[in-house]
Amino acid sequence: MSDTATVPAGSTTAGPDSAPAADTALVRRRIRRWLALFVVCLALSGLTAFPLQTETSLLARLVDATGLDGLSPALDAWVHHVREGVATGYGDYPFLAYGTDWLAFAHLVIAAAFWGPLRDPVRNVWVVRWAMLACGGVIPLALICGPLRGIPLFWQFVDMSFGVVGVVPLLIVHRMIRTLEWQQAVATHHDFARVVPCP
């Protein structure tokens, strides 16, 4: 995808006077809000990978307490299987938790990469595009590695939903960045035309 300024779909920008500074500031605020939401969710998904044993134990108790074990025996069996596997693995081989520690750290590092788009979304639009590709990569990863690791199909869809849901704010942000890029290009052209008049 080209980084050159093009008129976004549905844009009504027709000239330098139709992209006032107030509109640009509004677009920037909206971009920051959507990116902040994405970063917070990404950081939380990373932080929750640290206390994995506690969380799987709480999840198993929650399934039992809410009656989901009777409504969905497959879900109940899987949750308890995971709880036992994590408890046994972490108990007998605590170094296994080190792997999920790095998983959590990776999420936090990825979240930190969005500092660039938060500061200058147009210049750092590549971060948003890279994240969109990563969201798309979640689907083949789940479909290929899930069966190899014995993950039930319904849980593979849960995993894939993170990529599907995660790409939504990124698509919204990307569209707004293209709008902002166009507004900046129009404003730059207008300023240049005033400083360097045609002969």
Side-chain angles (χ1 to χ4, degrees):
M1 186 178 294
S2 173
D3 285 335
T4 57
T6 56
V7 181
S11 174
T12 57
T13 303
D17 296 330
S18 59
D23 290 350
T24 299
L26 178 62
V27 173
R28 284 184 175 275
R29 282 197 300 272
R30 288 176 176 169
I31 289 172
R32 289 193 181 103
R33 286 173 187 163
W34 279 106
L35 284 178
L37 173 66
F38 185 82
V39 168
V40 168
C41 292
L42 191 59
L44 286 176
S45 68
L47 291 173
T48 54
F50 283 115
L52 197 57
Q53 185 172 357
T54 301
E55 290 170 343
T56 52
S57 179
L58 287 173
L59 180 60
R61 288 205 293 266
L62 181 65
V63 169
D64 293 339
T66 56
L68 285 175
D69 52 340
L71 293 174
S72 180
L75 175 63
D76 177 64
W78 173 246
V79 168
H80 282 79
H81 180 61
V82 170
R83 182 198 62 182
E84 293 169 8
V86 171
T88 301
Y90 283 19
D92 295 342
Y93 310 101
F95 57 83
L96 292 176
Y98 193 51
T100 51
D101 291 340
W102 279 105
L103 171 67
F105 176 71
H107 279 76
L108 298 177
V109 169
I110 294 170
F114 282 87
W115 176 252
L118 283 168
R119 289 289 303 276
D120 189 341
V122 172
R123 179 177 295 180
N124 296 289
V125 67
W126 66 269
V127 176
V128 176
R129 292 172 180 160
W130 163 74
M132 290 164 61
L133 288 173
C135 286
V138 168
I139 295 176
L141 177 68
L143 291 175
I144 294 171
C145 296
L148 294 176
R149 307 302 184 193
I151 308 297
L153 182 61
F154 72 87
W155 200 262
Q156 293 175 43
F157 280 104
V158 171
D159 291 335
M160 287 186 285
S161 70
F162 284 94
V164 174
V165 173
V167 80
V168 172
L170 295 175
L171 287 170
I172 295 172
V173 166
H174 188 266
R175 182 179 179 84
M176 288 190 290
I177 291 176
R178 298 296 285 172
T179 299
L180 184 62
E181 184 180 31
W182 173 250
Q183 290 176 347
Q184 289 181 356
V186 169
T188 300
H189 174 74
H190 178 55
D191 293 340
F192 181 78
R194 285 194 304 173
V195 174
V196 185
C198 294

